[in-house]
Structure formats: C-alpha cells, structure tokens
Amino acid sequence: MAENKEEDVKLGANRYTERQPLGTAAQTDKDYKEAPPAPLFEPGELKSWSFYRAGIAEFIATFLFLYISVLTVMGVGRSPNKCASVGIQGIAWAFGGMIFVLVYCTAGISGGHINPAVTFGLFLARKLSLTRAVFYMVMQCLGAVCGAGVVKGFMEGPYQRLKGGANVVNHGYTKGDGLGAEIVGTFVLVYTVFSATDAKRNARDSHVPILAPLPIGFAVFLVHLATIPITGTGINPARSLGAAIIYNRDHAWDDQWIFWVGPMIGAALAAVYHQLIIRAIPFKSSRSC
C-alpha cells in the first residue's frame, strides 16, 4: 500500500500514460529542465541597467496601450450611433490588437506584461522576484496615467463628457456581476499568458515563442467582446486606475476596487490552475527530491 502511494507521488499526473505521449508527457529531460523559482527578493537587480530598461519598456508599452485604447473609446462615444463608428467590436480590436503588438515588441525586454494582474500571476508562479514585480506594477500604473492624460489633452471637453473611458459597473448589473466578470475575464487572459509562454512548450515547439503574442492579444479581444456591456472591461488594474485618475470623478472611483480585486483574484486562480493542475509542479518536485 505504501509502495502504491509512493508511486502516485512519483508519477503524479502522468501515472496513466497514453499510447502516444501527449502534452507534457511527450517531453523528456533532454528537452527541458525546470527553471529554478525566482528569489523573493533580489537586491542585485537594482544595480542592473536591464532591470530599469525593462521597467521603462513597461511604462512606454502601457502608455501606448492606454493612448490607443482610450482614444478609440472616445471616438466611438462621440459618434451619433454605433453604426457610424467601429462600435464595440472595434473597441475590442483596439485593446486586443494593441496587446498583440506591444507584447511582440517588449516580450524580449520585460516579458511584455503591460498589466499588474499578469505581473501578479507570474509573481505567484515564482517567474519573477517581488522587487521586479512591484517595480513593473508602479511603471505600468504611471504609464497608464500618462496615456490617459494625453488623450484628455487632445479632447478635454469630450473626454469629460464621455467619462474618460473609465471602468464602471453598467446599469442593470450588480457589483457582484462586475466582480465576477473581472475575475473570469482576467483568468482567461492570465491562463492564456501562462500557456502561450510556457517554457516547456517552447522547448518542444519552436513556433510557440513567435506566436505567443497572438493568443494573448486574441484573449483580450474576446474578453472585451463579452464584458464591455458589463464593466467596460477592466482585466487590467493599471488601465482602470489610469482612466479613473485622469477623469477624477466620484463615478469613476465608486467601483474602482472591483477592477483591482477582480483581476488579482482571477490572476491568482490562473496561476494556481496552470502550475498545480496543468503543469503538476508539486508532483515533479517530489520526483526530483
């Protein structure tokens, strides 16, 4: 009985193998070695130029993301009707398309997070240190504020009238509805990030690193299509905070907590699901001991 239990721990999710190995079972130790977890604190990073370069990349990327996306929201809002503009589909494409472009541009420098929820999820999975995670989040929020500020500078009157593209729970939905939409939407995004950037898949499938920005951007697009009617779609605390700070009306701050709590819960769930269920990290750790 004890031997059977030990066998379960050793083999974990791969105890019952397929006739033709699938997924992670198709890997061998020659293909990939599990990267060690990032240290919680890494003071040496503060002396490295690459650390600050990555933060600057996150700032610029989030700045451009807010500039294009909020400007698109303003354009749709100014149109006499949805048919005279790109509509909700266009807004979704603006958000998803910009994430695709920006992840492609910055992935090799900072990882292309552009979202505190993504950074938080990767931190929980020990993909980066707490030092880097906090620095990224600060730079993302600053970039978002600056991006929304430039949009307001271009069209201050319409910006205030159209509520600055700020995220709120729309009429007909409860705060619980909004929180649930943000949790599920962020789960979809962060789970896609984990899957698209999985180093073990990269070791086997050489095309995965090249295609990684595409599913991430497409996930953002699909989540926006589904949740714009509910919350305007946050799934990115920096995006919500930047628009709220520049708009700066009580209406924008009433539901702000939803756009932080929801995405962080969704990111944490995605990290746990990917690391413990999909990758079965505890089983592999036991086997290596």
Side-chain angles (χ1 to χ4, degrees):
M1 191 70 178
E3 291 180 357
N4 290 339
K5 185 174 182 181
E6 183 179 352
E7 184 73 8
D8 287 344
V9 172
K10 286 182 177 179
L11 296 179
N14 296 327
R15 179 182 181 187
Y16 300 102
T17 58
E18 302 284 346
R19 187 179 299 275
Q20 175 65 39
L22 300 174
T24 56
Q27 296 288 338
T28 67
D29 289 339
K30 294 180 180 180
D31 295 321
Y32 173 74
K33 292 292 185 181
E34 193 74 51
L40 187 60
F41 295 101
E42 195 168 0
E45 286 184 320
L46 300 176
K47 301 176 182 179
S48 170
W49 163 242
S50 63
F51 175 78
Y52 296 100
R53 181 183 64 178
I56 293 170
E58 288 293 310
F59 172 87
I60 295 297
T62 315
F63 168 84
L64 294 174
F65 176 58
L66 265 288
Y67 171 74
I68 295 296
S69 58
V70 174
L71 203 56
T72 303
V73 172
M74 295 295 98
V76 171
R78 294 186 69 180
S79 301
N81 57 71
K82 292 292 189 292
C83 294
S85 68
V86 295
I88 288 179
Q89 293 88 346
I91 294 174
W93 274 121
F95 279 87
M98 278 304 291
I99 288 297
F100 167 70
V101 170
L102 295 170
V103 170
Y104 180 83
C105 292
T106 61
I109 302 171
S110 66
H113 298 189
I114 323 169
N115 185 336
V118 171
T119 300
F120 181 64
L122 293 172
F123 165 70
L124 292 181
R126 302 295 300 277
K127 303 294 184 184
L128 70 165
S129 67
L130 178 62
T131 311
R132 186 174 291 266
V134 171
F135 183 51
Y136 276 16
M137 290 182 188
V138 170
M139 296 302 282
Q140 290 157 359
C141 290
L142 290 175
V145 171
C146 292
V150 170
V151 174
K152 181 178 180 180
F154 284 166
M155 47 173 66
E156 184 169 358
Y159 187 89
Q160 295 299 128
R161 188 175 70 254
L162 299 172
K163 302 176 183 179
N167 289 122
V168 296
V169 177
N170 292 321
H171 294 297
Y173 296 96
T174 65
K175 294 186 185 297
D177 296 333
L179 182 62
E182 290 297 307
I183 291 173
V184 176
T186 310
F187 179 91
V188 171
L189 170 59
V190 178
Y191 175 45
T192 303
V193 169
F194 273 107
S195 298
T197 60
D198 192 329
K200 191 162 191 175
R201 293 184 64 198
N202 294 352
R204 180 179 70 247
D205 305 322
S206 61
H207 62 279
V208 169
I210 300 174
L211 296 178
L214 181 59
I216 296 171
F218 201 61
V220 172
F221 165 70
L222 293 175
V223 171
H224 275 76
L225 281 183
T227 60
I228 281 176
I230 304 174
T231 61
T233 308
I235 67 170
N236 184 334
R239 174 261 186 271
S240 301
L241 180 66
I245 287 177
I246 299 301
Y247 178 52
N248 198 28
R249 295 289 186 276
D250 291 342
H251 181 61
W253 291 112
D254 289 343
D255 300 328
Q256 183 65 202
W257 67 272
I258 291 174
F259 302 102
W260 281 86
V261 175
M264 293 306 182
I265 292 176
L269 293 175
V272 170
Y273 176 63
H274 185 268
Q275 295 296 97
L276 303 189
I277 307 299
I278 301 301
R279 289 294 306 280
I281 296 296
F283 294 110
K284 295 171 186 175
S285 297
S286 298
R287 184 172 60 183
S288 62
C289 292

